[in-house]
Structure formats: C-alpha cells, structure tokens
Amino acid sequence: MPASKPTPRQRAHARTRDEILAAAHKELAARGADGLSLRAVAREVEMVSSAIYRYFPSKDDLLTALIIESYDAVGEATEQATGGRAAYGRRFVRGCDAFRDWGHAHPHEYALLYGSPVPGYRAPQETIVPAARTTVALLRVVEQAHLEGALGPRAPLPPASGPLRRQCHALSEALATDLPEDVLLRFAHAWSQIFGLVSLDLFGQTVGTFDPADALAAHSFRTAATQLGLRP
Amino acid sequence: MPASKPTPRQRAHARTRDEILAAAHKELAARGADGLSLRAVAREVEMVSSAIYRYFPSKDDLLTALIIESYDAVGEATEQATGGRAAYGRRFVRGCDAFRDWGHAHPHEYALLYGSPVPGYRAPQETIVPAARTTVALLRVVEQAHLEGALGPRAPLPPASGPLRRQCHALSEALATDLPEDVLLRFAHAWSQIFGLVSLDLFGQTVGTFDPADALAAHSFRTAATQLGLRP
DNA sequence: AGAAATGCAAGAGCAGTGCTCTCTTTTGTG
DNA sequence: CACAAAAGAGAGCACTGCTCTTGCATTTCT
C-alpha cells in the first residue's frame, strides 16, 4: 500500500502536518529546544493545542520529526560542500566549514542534534540514518582519496587494542568501505576534533580563549585534513 | 567585611543553603537539568517551594551554584589525575581519563556543563574560572613538559593566520605561560579532540560505530598526547 | 442523493511548573 | 525580655504537556 492515491483528506492532513512542523521549526529557532511549547506552536498555526495531537501523538514525536529534518539539513549542506572537483583536502575542509556554518546559522537546531540529550527523550531508530549523513559525507572524501591513492604521508599512530581493531573491522563492513584500520582511526580522531571544536564554539566554551573561534576553526580543520593525509 | 564572625543566623542560613544545594544535586543527577524542578527540591528538603526563594533568588541562581560545584568537581578530579611523578604523557592521558570517567559517572552534570546551553540562562562571570580548571590542568602538564625540555618531536602544523597568532599571544599572557604558539595550537586541537570524543560518547553519538567508546577513547587520548609531543 | 462512518477541532480539565505576594511563626539580638 | 528581622506557609497567577468528551464537517459507501 504505497502512496497510490493520496485522498484529499490525506493531502489536507499532510499539509497541516507540514504547517505545524514549519511553525515548530520557527519556534525552535527562536526559543530553543525546551522553550519549544506545543501550545505556542498551536497558537502559531491558529489551532487549539489539543488539535496538534491529531498530527503528532506527543511532543517527543514532534521533536523527532524536527530532529530528522535538521539532520537532513546539515547532512545535505555538508554533502554539497564536499562535492566538486577540488583537491580532497580542500573538499574536506569545505565540508567542515559547512558543518560549522550550519551550526552557527542554526544554533538551537545544532544544540538539539549534538548537545545534551533531551531528558526523557529517547532517539528512535529512524534518526540514526540521517544522523550519520554528515559524518559519512566527510568520510567519503577520505575514502575517495584513498581509492585514488591520493592519501599522503601521515604521522604514526599508537597501536590499537584488540577490541578497537574489532570495532574498526565491524565498522568497515557496516560502511561497506575498505579503508585501512589506521585511516578509520585517524578519521574518528579527526571527527572528534572537528565536532569538539564546533561544539566548544557554539556552546560558549571558548569565551576568554579563542573567541571568536573562526581562525582556530580554519586551522583546526586544515590540521585535521593534514593528519588524515589529505592534500590541499 | 570578610567572614569575621559568622552569626548563628548566618550559620543556619548557610547550612540550609547547602542542604538545598545537596538536594538539587541529587535531583539533577536523577532527573537531569530540565527535569530539575524547584518544587521537587523543596519537597526533598521538606520545605514549601516559596521558601527556597529565601536562599536562591531564582532557579537560574540555583543552577549557577550547581554548575560551579560541578565544574569544581570535574576540575578537581582532573587535577588529581594529572599529578604524580609519572611521565608527562601518562599524566596527560590520566587526566583525560579522569575527565571522561567523571562524565560517565555524572552524565547529567556533564550535560549541564558541556552540553547545550540552557535556554534563557546566561552563564555569569563567576563560572568562568572554575570552568577553566579542567582545561588548565591538562595544559599545565604540557607546560611542565615544555619547561623541562621533555617535549618530543611533533608533526608539522599548517601555518597560523594573523588573527590566530594574535589570539595565541593574548592567551599566553592571560595564562601567564610562555608556551610557544605552535604548542598552544596543538593543545587547542588536542582539547577539541578530547572534548569532542567524550561528548560524542556521552551524548549518544557513537551508537552503531564505536560503542562502547572505551577503546577508542584510550586510543584517542594517547594519540592526542603523542601529537603534543608528550612521551609515555 | 441520502446515510453512515470517519476525521477533525474545540473546550474543559488535570497535574505539574516558576515565581510573587501576603501573612504568620520562629528566632537571634539589643 | 521585648522587638525586629528572618524564615516559612499558603494562596494565587500564568504557563506547560496531555487527556477526554462533545459537536461539527467532510468523505465514503449504499
């Protein structure tokens, strides 16, 4: 039973759902994740609060829909940025920049996705795939570089423990990639660094040190690319 | 006007304040930052909710007190771990482990300190110093190693832009350290990586990849230490 | 075309929240 | 010991998520 025939009723339902979602996004951007009030959303779309429950069984479900949309947005942005024909190092850095820029443009969404988990909220299965898009976009750049033999010299890495090597192996299979273990590890570290920097920046942890963090971010991303063996 | 003579009344006030704070900590640990309800705290200490306001003017002030306590706790833990006479690389890694362990032991506190900023809450000035303790503890290890000339070889770094060099310079003065610019930058990257990894882990961003993240964490911290030129 | 089924919005209401105000009780101190 | 200051109690306001019932509109079937 695919969308063989969207009845007028279904169309109306979907349209209202989208309206609610748009209003919720607006609220989220304006007031943040826990300032997000179902009643405020209801006011925005000129409905009574209880009517929202016809479209989203609970606030968590509304939140989930928002999270998925946001993951897709940031994933899309990063994918876009990593495309093109530039050198792999450049594409990687551009992807990082896109990630950071998106965060700056949507701080509340970023906080929702990458910040403290909302208490009582358990991320459902369907968020996992969109959540991975950003990371995978960056990883694909490294993968392409590796496949073309364009990966330059890298500093030696400490030896990996048994469990860690097993996780790398499992991850390789899950991602259907044949990146060598050490590249995978380097990528994990690079992603930690990138994510850490952007989070420190957006969560206000850089005040009094590297604030604004633009210059540090540029240097950090470039360093990460270099450590991965990506050439500019 | 220092605490020249704490009157019985002041003592009682301080005692009650501490009780409230302890109860709030308990609530925070149990239910998380926005599950933290003033009324629940009041119930815990067997007071009526309005009575709390004699001790904390608002929920934000209570939160601030909690934040400072928590920053001090994690800072203390990290400082402890970086002490001793072991090699600098070991001490650094131990500090990282302590940071991560504290986060695992107090996930809600970690989220409060390092996660999404609580909406509407603006961290007051007095949180800045305790907030820096953890980072400074790790930095001091690097500093000591540098002073003793024990900093080993490091991979080359991309060139730093003008603004970045200025920030490094200002930071050096603020920290009263004479670490060279490149070491400061490497430290910033290392801290980003450490922080990023712990946050990814604690915020559930590693599911399906490196989960549990213990092995990756160990490798990450070791790598960070190596990149800083710290010898095990 | 008329009747039945269905989706939908509205409204009231519950239990909870932060916070303010007033009033009474306790308690340390001149 | 009397009194003023501090602490606690309680009611109340505006808000929250969520549930349930009640009419109304629209679609679908006969």
Coordinates of all heavy atoms in Angstrom, one line a residue, chain B residues 7-9 36-39 43 49-50 53 58-59, chain C residues 16-24 26-29:
Chain B
T7 N 27.5 34.8 62.4 CA 26.5 34.7 63.5 C 25.7 33.4 63.3 O 25.7 32.8 62.3 CB 25.5 35.8 63.3 OG1 24.8 35.6 62.1 CG2 26.2 37.2 63.2
P8 N 25.1 32.9 64.4 CA 24.3 31.7 64.4 C 23.3 31.7 63.2 O 23.1 30.7 62.5 CB 23.6 31.7 65.7 CG 24.4 32.5 66.6 CD 25.1 33.5 65.7
R9 N 22.7 32.9 63.0 CA 21.8 33.0 62.0 C 22.4 32.7 60.6 O 21.9 32.0 59.8 CB 21.2 34.4 62.0 CG 19.9 34.5 61.2 CD 19.0 35.7 61.8 NE 17.8 35.2 62.3 CZ 16.9 36.0 63.0 NH1 17.2 37.2 63.2 NH2 15.8 35.5 63.4
L36 N 15.0 19.2 36.5 CA 15.2 19.8 37.8 C 14.1 20.8 38.1 O 14.0 21.8 37.5 CB 16.6 20.5 37.8 CG 16.9 21.2 39.1 CD1 17.2 20.1 40.2 CD2 18.1 22.1 39.0
S37 N 13.3 20.4 39.1 CA 12.2 21.3 39.5 C 12.4 21.9 40.9 O 12.7 21.1 41.8 CB 10.9 20.6 39.4 OG 10.1 20.7 40.5
L38 N 12.2 23.2 41.0 CA 12.4 23.8 42.3 C 11.4 23.2 43.3 O 11.8 23.1 44.5 CB 12.1 25.3 42.1 CG 13.2 26.2 42.5 CD1 13.4 27.3 41.5 CD2 12.8 26.8 43.8
R39 N 10.3 22.9 42.8 CA 9.3 22.3 43.8 C 9.7 21.0 44.3 O 9.5 20.6 45.4 CB 7.9 22.3 43.1 CG 7.3 23.7 42.8 CD 6.0 23.6 42.0 NE 4.9 24.0 42.8 CZ 4.2 25.2 42.5 NH1 4.7 26.0 41.5 NH2 3.2 25.6 43.2
R43 N 10.4 19.8 48.0 CA 9.8 18.6 48.7 C 10.9 17.8 49.3 O 10.7 17.3 50.4 CB 9.1 17.7 47.6 CG 7.7 18.2 47.3 CD 6.9 17.2 46.5 NE 7.5 17.0 45.1 CZ 7.1 17.7 44.1 NH1 6.2 18.7 44.2 NH2 7.6 17.6 42.9
S49 N 7.7 25.4 48.4 CA 8.6 25.9 47.3 C 9.0 27.3 47.4 O 10.1 27.7 47.1 CB 7.8 25.7 46.0 OG 6.8 26.6 45.8
S50 N 8.1 28.1 48.0 CA 8.4 29.6 48.0 C 9.5 29.8 49.0 O 10.2 30.9 48.9 CB 7.1 30.3 48.4 OG 6.6 29.9 49.7
Y53 N 13.1 30.4 47.8 CA 13.5 31.8 47.3 C 14.2 32.6 48.3 O 14.7 33.7 48.0 CB 12.3 32.5 46.7 CG 11.8 31.8 45.4 CD1 11.0 30.7 45.4 CD2 12.3 32.3 44.2 CE1 10.6 30.1 44.2 CE2 11.9 31.7 43.0 CZ 11.0 30.6 43.0 OH 10.6 30.0 41.9
S58 N 16.4 32.8 42.2 CA 15.6 32.2 41.1 C 16.2 30.9 40.8 O 17.3 30.5 41.3 CB 15.8 33.1 39.9 OG 17.0 32.9 39.3
K59 N 15.6 30.1 39.9 CA 16.1 28.8 39.5 C 17.4 28.9 38.9 O 18.3 28.1 39.0 CB 15.1 28.2 38.6 CG 15.2 26.7 38.5 CD 14.4 26.1 37.3 CE 14.8 24.7 37.1 NZ 14.1 24.1 35.9
Chain C
dG16 P 1.2 16.0 40.3 OP1 2.0 14.8 40.4 OP2 0.4 16.5 41.5 O5' 2.2 17.2 39.8 C5' 3.2 16.9 38.9 C4' 3.5 18.1 38.1 O4' 2.3 18.7 37.6 C3' 4.2 19.2 38.7 O3' 5.6 19.0 38.9 C2' 4.0 20.3 37.7 C1' 2.7 20.0 37.1 N9 1.6 20.9 37.3 C8 0.5 20.8 38.1 N7 -0.2 21.9 38.1 C5 0.3 22.7 37.1 C6 -0.1 24.0 36.6 O6 -1.1 24.6 36.9 N1 0.8 24.4 35.6 C2 1.9 23.8 35.2 N2 2.6 24.3 34.2 N3 2.3 22.6 35.7 C4 1.5 22.1 36.6
dT17 P 6.5 19.9 39.8 OP1 7.8 19.2 40.0 OP2 5.7 20.2 41.0 O5' 6.7 21.2 39.0 C5' 7.5 21.1 37.8 C4' 7.4 22.4 37.1 O4' 6.1 22.8 36.8 C3' 7.9 23.6 37.9 O3' 9.3 23.7 37.9 C2' 7.3 24.8 37.1 C1' 6.0 24.2 36.6 N1 4.7 24.6 37.3 C2 4.2 25.9 37.1 O2 4.7 26.7 36.3 N3 3.1 26.2 37.8 C4 2.4 25.3 38.7 O4 1.4 25.7 39.3 C5 3.1 24.1 38.9 C7 2.5 23.1 39.9 C6 4.2 23.8 38.2
dG18 P 10.1 24.5 38.9 OP1 11.5 24.2 38.8 OP2 9.4 24.4 40.2 O5' 9.9 26.0 38.4 C5' 10.5 26.5 37.3 C4' 10.2 28.0 37.1 O4' 8.8 28.2 37.1 C3' 10.8 28.8 38.2 O3' 11.3 30.0 37.6 C2' 9.6 29.1 39.1 C1' 8.5 29.1 38.1 N9 7.2 28.6 38.8 C8 7.1 27.5 39.5 N7 5.8 27.3 40.0 C5 5.2 28.5 39.5 C6 3.8 28.9 39.7 O6 2.9 28.3 40.4 N1 3.6 30.1 39.1 C2 4.5 30.8 38.4 N2 4.0 32.0 37.9 N3 5.7 30.5 38.2 C4 6.0 29.3 38.8
dC19 P 12.2 31.0 38.5 OP1 13.1 31.8 37.6 OP2 12.8 30.2 39.6 O5' 11.1 32.0 39.1 C5' 10.2 32.6 38.3 C4' 9.1 33.3 39.1 O4' 8.2 32.3 39.5 C3' 9.6 34.0 40.3 O3' 9.4 35.4 40.1 C2' 8.7 33.5 41.4 C1' 7.6 32.8 40.7 N1 6.9 31.7 41.4 C2 5.5 31.8 41.6 O2 4.9 32.8 41.2 N3 4.9 30.8 42.3 C4 5.6 29.8 42.8 N4 4.9 28.9 43.4 C5 7.0 29.7 42.6 C6 7.6 30.7 41.9
dT20 P 9.8 36.5 41.2 OP1 10.3 37.7 40.5 OP2 10.6 35.8 42.2 O5' 8.4 36.9 41.8 C5' 7.3 37.2 40.9 C4' 6.1 37.6 41.7 O4' 5.4 36.5 42.3 C3' 6.4 38.5 42.9 O3' 5.5 39.6 42.9 C2' 6.3 37.6 44.1 C1' 5.2 36.7 43.6 N1 5.2 35.3 44.3 C2 4.1 34.8 44.8 O2 3.0 35.3 44.7 N3 4.2 33.5 45.3 C4 5.4 32.8 45.4 O4 5.4 31.7 45.9 C5 6.5 33.4 44.9 C7 7.9 32.7 44.9 C6 6.4 34.6 44.3
dC21 P 5.8 40.9 43.9 OP1 5.5 42.1 43.1 OP2 7.1 40.7 44.6 O5' 4.6 40.8 45.0 C5' 3.3 40.4 44.5 C4' 2.5 40.0 45.7 O4' 2.8 38.6 45.9 C3' 2.8 40.7 47.0 O3' 1.7 41.5 47.4 C2' 3.0 39.6 48.1 C1' 2.7 38.3 47.3 N1 3.6 37.2 47.6 C2 3.2 36.0 48.1 O2 2.0 35.8 48.4 N3 4.1 35.0 48.4 C4 5.4 35.2 48.1 N4 6.2 34.2 48.4 C5 5.8 36.4 47.6 C6 4.9 37.4 47.3
dT22 P 1.8 42.3 48.8 OP1 0.9 43.5 48.6 OP2 3.2 42.5 49.2 O5' 1.1 41.3 49.9 C5' -0.1 40.8 49.6 C4' -0.5 39.8 50.7 O4' 0.4 38.6 50.6 C3' -0.4 40.3 52.1 O3' -1.5 39.9 52.9 C2' 0.9 39.6 52.7 C1' 0.9 38.3 51.9 N1 2.2 37.7 51.8 C2 2.4 36.4 52.1 O2 1.5 35.7 52.5 N3 3.6 35.9 52.0 C4 4.7 36.5 51.5 O4 5.9 36.0 51.4 C5 4.5 37.9 51.1 C7 5.7 38.8 50.6 C6 3.3 38.4 51.3
dC23 P -1.9 40.6 54.2 OP1 -3.3 41.0 54.2 OP2 -0.8 41.7 54.5 O5' -1.7 39.5 55.3 C5' -2.3 38.2 55.1 C4' -1.6 37.1 55.9 O4' -0.3 36.8 55.3 C3' -1.3 37.5 57.4 O3' -1.9 36.5 58.2 C2' 0.2 37.5 57.5 C1' 0.6 36.6 56.4 N1 2.0 36.9 55.9 C2 2.9 35.8 55.9 O2 2.6 34.7 56.3 N3 4.2 36.1 55.4 C4 4.5 37.3 55.0 N4 5.7 37.5 54.5 C5 3.5 38.3 55.0 C6 2.3 38.1 55.4
dT24 P -2.1 36.9 59.8 OP1 -3.5 36.6 60.1 OP2 -1.5 38.2 60.1 O5' -1.1 35.8 60.4 C5' -1.3 34.4 60.1 C4' -0.1 33.6 60.4 O4' 1.0 34.2 59.6 C3' 0.4 33.7 61.9 O3' 0.5 32.3 62.3 C2' 1.7 34.4 61.8 C1' 2.2 34.1 60.4 N1 3.2 35.1 59.9 C2 4.4 34.7 59.6 O2 4.8 33.6 59.8 N3 5.3 35.7 59.1 C4 4.9 37.0 58.8 O4 5.8 37.8 58.4 C5 3.6 37.4 59.2 C7 3.1 38.8 59.0 C6 2.8 36.4 59.7
dT26 P 6.0 28.6 65.9 OP1 5.7 27.1 65.9 OP2 5.5 29.4 67.0 O5' 7.6 28.8 65.8 C5' 8.2 28.5 64.5 C4' 9.4 29.3 64.4 O4' 9.1 30.7 64.3 C3' 10.4 29.3 65.6 O3' 11.6 28.7 65.1 C2' 10.6 30.7 66.0 C1' 10.2 31.5 64.7 N1 9.8 32.9 64.9 C2 10.6 33.9 64.4 O2 11.6 33.7 63.8 N3 10.1 35.1 64.5 C4 8.9 35.5 65.2 O4 8.5 36.7 65.3 C5 8.1 34.4 65.7 C7 6.8 34.7 66.4 C6 8.6 33.2 65.5
dT27 P 12.7 28.1 66.0 OP1 13.4 27.0 65.4 OP2 12.1 28.0 67.4 O5' 13.7 29.4 66.1 C5' 14.1 30.0 64.8 C4' 14.9 31.3 65.1 O4' 14.1 32.4 65.3 C3' 15.7 31.2 66.4 O3' 17.0 31.7 66.2 C2' 14.9 32.0 67.4 C1' 14.5 33.1 66.4 N1 13.3 34.0 66.9 C2 13.3 35.3 66.5 O2 14.2 35.8 65.8 N3 12.2 36.0 67.0 C4 11.2 35.5 67.8 O4 10.3 36.2 68.2 C5 11.3 34.1 68.1 C7 10.2 33.4 69.0 C6 12.4 33.4 67.7
dG28 P 18.2 31.1 67.0 OP1 18.8 30.0 66.2 OP2 17.9 30.9 68.4 O5' 19.2 32.4 67.0 C5' 19.4 33.0 65.7 C4' 19.6 34.5 65.8 O4' 18.4 35.1 66.3 C3' 20.7 34.9 66.8 O3' 21.5 35.9 66.3 C2' 19.9 35.4 68.1 C1' 18.6 35.9 67.4 N9 17.4 35.7 68.2 C8 17.0 34.6 68.9 N7 15.9 34.7 69.5 C5 15.5 36.1 69.3 C6 14.3 36.8 69.7 O6 13.4 36.4 70.4 N1 14.4 38.1 69.2 C2 15.3 38.6 68.4 N2 15.2 39.9 68.1 N3 16.4 38.0 68.0 C4 16.4 36.7 68.5
dT29 P 22.7 36.5 67.0 OP1 23.8 36.8 66.1 OP2 23.0 35.6 68.2 O5' 22.1 37.9 67.6 C5' 21.4 38.8 66.7 C4' 20.9 40.0 67.4 O4' 19.7 39.6 68.1 C3' 21.8 40.6 68.4 O3' 21.8 42.0 68.3 C2' 21.3 40.1 69.8 C1' 19.8 40.1 69.5 N1 19.0 39.2 70.3 C2 17.7 39.7 70.8 O2 17.3 40.8 70.5 N3 17.0 38.8 71.5 C4 17.4 37.6 71.9 O4 16.7 36.9 72.7 C5 18.7 37.1 71.4 C7 19.2 35.8 71.8 C6 19.4 38.0 70.7

